[in-house]
């Protein structure tokens, strides 16, 4: 059998094996025909022989395919066995090629497929010509074989005349044109249609077209093109991104930009954490008898995706957040950075007070530092409703499956959507202590489960990845001072203007050192869970001042408390006297003796302009020259004695 591939020379045995039309099917008969037609002596127009000795064992002759009848040549071309030499002509300039191919690349697959089909038909014509057929015969044979009109093939040949074979596709691609000029559309009707279609309710184009035609155009005597024409006009003239924005919202437009790919290869354990809240789809009975869906506030390590700490409560609050951070610091240390949203629980002044970019609540210059700034933890705020910014959002899927759908929560699962409620909806409620046990076990499974395919786990578990990095990373450890500074709530309180005590929820706290800060605005850190504990007092600069005990109210007849108060007052007086001794103040006489009046009185110059005094009317004052002479001192004293004597007589 002949090997596949384009060729021009064939032996008698190969021609017989191919069973070509118009040729014998045996080697002997092919040789007889070659002898009868003198194939061995045939030459072409250039005098080149059309028969040549066969190379290889056995010898014999090979015959050029031009000696075969047209039917046999066509069959060889159709089978891809006849060799067609490539056309190396470069008749087109580079600019024309670039223009043609740029247009071709913008066309549809259907147009490109048609161009390829036409090129293959012209290649068949040329293959026939190579075999010795005339152009007319080659076109006719191709027309009959491919069921294409001869005139069409001649038109295609004119399109590619002078073009290299590799540059024919743009020329052969169909360039179908529209049916004429663009249909005219009334501007008012066009605006009506666009305004109706580009709405958040996203009506169908057919309904909008119907309303525009029958309720707007018809009453005004306006005729509109067909629905398809109007739809094509909309797709052609209106930016598709604008259509999506008006009908589906800006979130859909945001999805048109590929999501940001983030890598954590540069991080390590505890380098960055993120915190978020998750509301369970489980009804839980709290100790006070209330049945509600609890909230979990969790903190996750971004590098390993391990859940580091969590707290469960009835609402997402700053207290729950503070307790979760307390667990984190006690177990693993202090992270460098925290990623969170600006919800009320996280943007509270207890947690992030002092940050200038909190974007929630009124920011005051004198507000105390919150938990994170006081411990030097950097904060990055995420965009609202942007789950891609917080990897912990992926963890909630495991939480919803491993915890909320635990068999021990059967009958208490509420469903994750209003239209996805189970048949046993609210049959029971899980007691809080039982549910907390389920949460602890579920978090352990979440962290220890292997087969995690993240950038850092690579088939391991979150806990293994965290432990491996934690062992060789710089970790900030939380000291007692850190916990005192960061885990206690900070409030701005004005000390009493006389004694300096601070008051929190009807509880007074005082120590002798506070008397030095009476009337000042101080930062008081305390444990809101236990107001009986001492409070820690700082100034506005964050400097620690003192620790104050609670100043409890005593019974009216409690003599011990009275003696304690008297003793404190005595100690206060002693402290004041001691301070006076230390200061060694000068006495008033010493101060007066050292005072010297060397200041000269300022000389007042004569006025440059004298304002005249005028008297008008009958009630005008008399001038100085007309006034009565001044009374002497002796005369005045005599008049005074006479007046006093008269007063005595009256008495």
């Amino acid at each position: 059998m002949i090997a596949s591939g384009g060729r021009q020379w064939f032996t008698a045995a190969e021609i017989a094996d191919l069973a070509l039309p118009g040729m014998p099917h045996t080697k002997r008969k092919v040789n007889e025909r070659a002898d009868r037609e003198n194939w061995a002596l045939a030459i072409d127009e250039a005098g080149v022989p059309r028969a040549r000795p066969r190379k290889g064992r056995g010898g014999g002759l090979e015959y050029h395919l031009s000696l075969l009848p047209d039917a046999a040549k066509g069959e060889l071309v159709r089978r891809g066995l006849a060799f067609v030499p490539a056309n190396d002509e470069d008749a087109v300039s580079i600019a024309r090629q670039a223009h043609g191919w740029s247009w071709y690349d913008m066309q549809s697959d259907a147009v490109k497929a048609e161009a390829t089909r036409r090129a293959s038909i012209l290649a068949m014509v040329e293959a026939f010509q190579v075999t010795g057929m005339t152009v007319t015969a080659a076109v006719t044979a191709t027309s009959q074989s491919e069921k294409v009109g001869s005139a069409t093939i001649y038109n295609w040949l004119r399109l590619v005349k002078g073009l290299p074979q590799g540059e024919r596709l743009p020329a052969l691609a169909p360039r179908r044109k529209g049916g004429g000029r663009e249909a005219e559309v009334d501007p008012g009707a066009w605006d009506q249609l666009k305004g109706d279609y580009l709405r958040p309710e996203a009506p169908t184009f057919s309904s909008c077209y119907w309303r525009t035609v029958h309720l707007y155009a018809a009453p005004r005597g306006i005729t509109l093109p067909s629905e398809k024409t109007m739809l094509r006009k909309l797709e052609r003239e209106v930016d598709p991104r604008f259509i999506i924005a008006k009908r589906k919202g800006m979130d859909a437009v945001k999805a048109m930009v590929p999501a940001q790919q983030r890598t954590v290869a540069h991080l390590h354990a505890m380098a960055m954490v993120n915190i978020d809240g998750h509301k369970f789809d489980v009804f839980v009975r709290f100790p006070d008898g209330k049945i509600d869906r609890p909230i979990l506030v969790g903190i996750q390590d971004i590098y390993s995706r391990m859940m580091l700490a969590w707290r469960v409560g009835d609402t997402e609050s700053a207290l729950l957040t503070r307790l979760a951070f307390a667990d984190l610091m006690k177990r693993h240390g202090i992270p460098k950075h925290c990623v969170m949203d600006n919800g009320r629980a996280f943007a509270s002044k207890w947690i992030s007070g002092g940050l200038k970019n909190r974007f929630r609540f009124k920011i005051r210059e004198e507000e105390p530092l919150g938990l994170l700034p006081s411990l030097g933890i950097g904060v990055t705020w995420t965009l609202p409703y942007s789950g891609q910014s917080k990897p912990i959002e992926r963890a909630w899927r495991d939480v919803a499956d491993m915890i909320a759908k635990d068999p021990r929560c059967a009958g208490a699962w509420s469903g994750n959507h209003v239209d996805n409620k189970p048949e046993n909806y609210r049959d029971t409620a899980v007691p809080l202590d039982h549910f907390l046990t389920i949460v602890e076990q579920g978090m352990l499974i979440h962290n220890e489960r292997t087969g995690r395919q993240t950038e850092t786990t690579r088939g391991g578990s979150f806990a293994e990845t965290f432990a491996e990095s934690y062992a060789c990373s710089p970790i900030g450890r939380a000291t007692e001072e850190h916990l005192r500074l960061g885990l206690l709530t900070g409030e701005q309180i004005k000390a009493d203007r006389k004694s300096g005590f601070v008051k929190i929820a009807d509880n007074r706290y005082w120590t002798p050192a506070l008397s030095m800060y009476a009337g000042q605005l101080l930062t008081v850190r305390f444990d809101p869970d236990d107001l009986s504990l001492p409070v820690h007092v700082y100034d506005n600069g964050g400097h620690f001042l003192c620790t104050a005990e609670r100043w409890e109210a005593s019974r009216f007849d409690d003599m011990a408390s009275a003696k304690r108060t008297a003793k404190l007052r005595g100690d206060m007086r002693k402290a004041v006297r001691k301070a006076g001794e230390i200061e060694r103040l000068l006495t008033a006489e010493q101060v007066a003796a050292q005072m010297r009046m060397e200041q000269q009185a300022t000389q007042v110059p004569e006025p440059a302009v004298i304002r005249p005094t005028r008297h008008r009317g009958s009630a005008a004052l008399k001038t100085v020259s007309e006034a009565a002479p001044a009374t002497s001192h002796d005369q005045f004293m005599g008049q005074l004695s006479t007046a006093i004597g008269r007063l005595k007589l009256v008495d």
Side-chain angles (χ1 to χ4, degrees):
M1 294 292 295
I2 182 174
S4 63
R7 296 174 58 183
Q8 288 184 303
W9 300 88
F10 301 89
T11 63
E14 292 171 344
I15 294 174
D17 292 339
L18 289 171
L20 300 174
M23 291 297 296
H25 295 176
T26 62
K27 177 182 178 181
R28 184 174 62 84
K29 292 293 185 180
V30 172
N31 284 330
E32 290 178 357
R33 181 168 180 170
D35 292 340
R36 187 170 57 253
E37 297 180 358
N38 294 321
W39 286 5
L41 302 177
I43 59 175
D44 60 11
E45 297 177 354
V48 178
R50 296 188 178 183
R52 67 182 184 183
R54 175 179 176 272
K55 295 181 180 179
R57 187 176 179 180
L61 295 176
E62 290 181 333
Y63 304 105
H64 193 269
L65 61 84
S66 60
L67 297 173
L68 302 178
D70 291 344
K73 297 175 185 176
E75 184 64 22
L76 289 174
V77 172
R78 277 189 292 270
R79 295 184 189 180
L81 300 177
F83 172 72
V84 179
N87 189 348
D88 295 330
E89 296 179 5
D90 190 10
V92 189
S93 65
I94 296 177
R96 179 181 174 187
Q97 294 175 18
H99 174 75
W101 282 107
S102 62
W103 173 88
Y104 181 78
D105 289 339
M106 297 173 60
Q107 304 309 305
S108 64
D109 292 339
V111 172
K112 295 176 181 178
E114 175 63 18
T116 303
R117 186 183 74 89
R118 295 178 180 182
S120 64
I121 292 175
L122 295 187
M124 183 178 293
V125 173
E126 293 177 347
F128 280 131
Q129 290 182 270
V130 170
T131 63
M133 297 175 62
T134 63
V135 175
T136 302
V139 170
T140 302
T142 304
S143 175
Q144 294 175 353
S145 174
E146 299 298 324
K147 310 300 181 184
V148 179
S150 298
T152 302
I153 297 177
Y154 281 120
N155 289 334
W156 295 344
L157 288 173
R158 281 192 292 271
L159 291 175
V160 301
K161 185 177 181 180
L163 290 177
Q165 201 170 40
E167 301 294 333
R168 291 180 176 180
L169 291 180
L172 293 174
R175 286 173 165 79
R176 298 184 177 92
K177 298 181 180 180
R181 63 184 179 87
E182 183 179 352
E184 294 183 359
V185 179
D186 180 75
W190 176 239
D191 292 340
Q192 176 76 11
L193 179 62
K194 288 192 299 182
D196 191 9
Y197 183 69
L198 301 179
R199 291 187 287 120
E201 294 77 12
T204 63
F205 187 82
S206 296
S207 64
C208 297
Y209 178 79
W210 188 92
R211 283 191 290 268
T212 303
V213 170
H214 294 85
L215 304 181
Y216 179 87
R220 294 169 174 79
I222 299 173
T223 302
L224 293 179
S226 66
E227 179 181 337
K228 289 186 177 180
T229 300
M230 298 294 284
L231 180 59
R232 286 195 295 267
K233 178 180 176 63
L234 180 75
E235 294 173 347
R236 182 176 63 252
E237 297 184 2
V238 182
D239 191 331
R241 296 168 296 184
F242 180 73
I243 296 177
I244 292 176
K246 299 300 291 183
R247 290 173 61 87
K248 299 182 179 180
M250 294 306 297
D251 286 342
V253 175
K254 185 174 67 174
M256 299 176 71
V257 179
Q260 179 184 0
Q261 291 185 341
R262 303 170 186 259
T263 178
V264 296
H266 62 291
L267 299 177
H268 59 78
M270 292 293 290
M272 184 176 289
V273 299
N274 62 154
I275 183 172
D276 196 24
H278 172 73
K279 193 166 188 176
F280 284 104
D281 299 323
V282 178
F283 288 112
V284 171
R285 181 180 291 105
F286 289 88
D288 59 357
K290 182 180 68 172
I291 296 178
D292 201 355
R293 294 163 55 197
I295 289 285
L296 181 143
V297 173
I299 302 176
Q300 179 197 52
D301 179 57
I302 291 182
Y303 173 79
S304 63
R305 301 297 198 269
M306 176 179 172
M307 292 296 296
L308 303 176
W310 54 89
R311 282 291 181 132
V312 178
D314 58 347
T315 183
E316 186 179 86
S317 63
L319 175 59
L320 209 62
T321 302
R322 182 177 64 86
L323 295 176
F325 271 108
D327 294 341
L328 169 66
M329 295 174 189
K330 292 175 182 177
R331 296 176 188 173
H332 307 291
I334 302 176
K336 292 183 179 179
H337 210 86
C338 183
V339 177
M340 58 186 180
D341 58 39
N342 66 338
R344 298 182 66 89
F346 310 129
S348 165
K349 63 181 179 181
W350 289 5
I351 304 301
S352 56
L355 293 178
K356 300 303 181 183
N357 58 343
R358 199 165 72 230
F359 306 120
R360 183 179 281 275
F361 305 113
K362 185 176 181 179
I363 300 175
R364 299 175 300 171
E365 291 294 335
E366 69 276 7
E367 74 178 6
L369 289 178
L371 167 63
L372 303 184
S374 64
L375 295 176
I377 301 175
V379 175
T380 296
W381 303 103
T382 62
L383 294 174
Y385 310 106
S386 179
Q388 296 173 345
S389 305
K390 294 180 294 184
I392 196 173
E393 294 286 356
R394 170 61 180 84
W396 297 147
R397 189 168 69 182
D398 280 0
V399 169
D401 185 49
M402 297 298 298
I403 298 177
K405 295 184 179 180
D406 188 277
R408 289 167 287 184
C409 296
W413 188 63
S414 64
N416 58 358
H417 198 268
V418 66
D419 59 354
N420 187 28
K421 298 183 182 298
E423 190 170 348
N424 59 353
Y425 177 76
R426 210 160 188 175
D427 281 357
T428 185
V430 183
L432 179 60
D433 54 346
H434 294 176
F435 185 72
L436 293 179
T437 301
I438 298 173
V439 171
E440 293 295 327
Q441 295 174 355
M443 286 299 184
L444 178 63
I445 295 173
H446 173 80
N447 289 334
E448 299 293 341
R449 184 176 177 180
T450 58
R452 302 291 189 178
Q453 298 297 329
T454 67
E455 182 182 3
T456 55
T457 55
R458 297 183 296 275
S461 68
F462 297 150
E464 292 172 348
T465 305
F466 178 81
E468 180 181 352
S469 176
Y470 189 86
C472 60
S473 300
I475 306 298
R477 303 303 299 178
T479 64
E480 291 297 329
E481 290 75 13
H482 286 142
L483 296 177
R484 182 189 68 189
L485 181 65
L487 300 181
L488 298 179
T489 300
E491 287 285 356
Q492 286 279 325
I493 299 176
K494 192 171 185 178
D496 181 71
R497 64 185 181 87
K498 292 183 178 180
S499 64
F501 71 80
V502 293
K503 190 174 182 180
I504 302 174
D506 295 332
N507 294 289
R508 296 187 302 169
Y509 301 86
W510 185 83
T511 189
L514 278 178
S515 59
M516 295 187 296
Y517 306 99
Q520 296 186 22
L521 193 63
L522 304 174
T523 298
V524 181
R525 296 190 179 275
F526 59 95
D527 188 347
D529 298 332
D530 190 357
L531 293 178
S532 65
L533 298 176
V535 299
H536 307 284
V537 184
Y538 300 77
D539 62 12
N540 283 333
H543 303 98
F544 177 72
L545 301 179
C546 60
T547 298
E549 300 284 345
R550 186 169 68 164
W551 192 257
E552 298 182 5
S554 60
R555 293 174 50 181
F556 187 82
D557 57 352
D558 189 350
M559 297 304 297
S561 297
K563 290 180 180 180
R564 182 171 64 93
T565 303
K567 184 179 183 303
L568 288 172
R569 288 173 177 170
D571 293 341
M572 183 72 68
R573 285 192 294 268
K574 291 179 182 179
V576 171
R577 284 196 297 268
K578 187 176 181 180
E581 295 174 359
I582 294 174
E583 294 296 336
R584 297 181 180 179
L585 297 179
L586 298 176
T587 64
E589 292 78 7
Q590 292 173 332
V591 172
Q594 298 186 56
M595 293 175 58
R596 296 179 180 178
M597 289 297 294
E598 297 180 353
Q599 183 71 32
Q600 298 294 329
T602 303
Q603 297 295 326
V604 180
E606 291 293 331
V609 179
I610 303 299
R611 177 172 58 85
T613 302
R614 296 180 176 86
H615 304 283
R616 297 183 178 87
S618 59
L621 297 176
K622 295 182 179 181
T623 61
V624 176
S625 59
E626 297 175 351
T631 304
S632 65
H633 177 70
D634 294 338
Q635 291 175 339
F636 174 75
M637 293 302 295
Q639 293 174 359
L640 179 60
S641 299
T642 302
I644 294 173
R646 290 176 180 176
L647 289 174
K648 289 180 179 180
L649 292 175
V650 174
D651 292 339

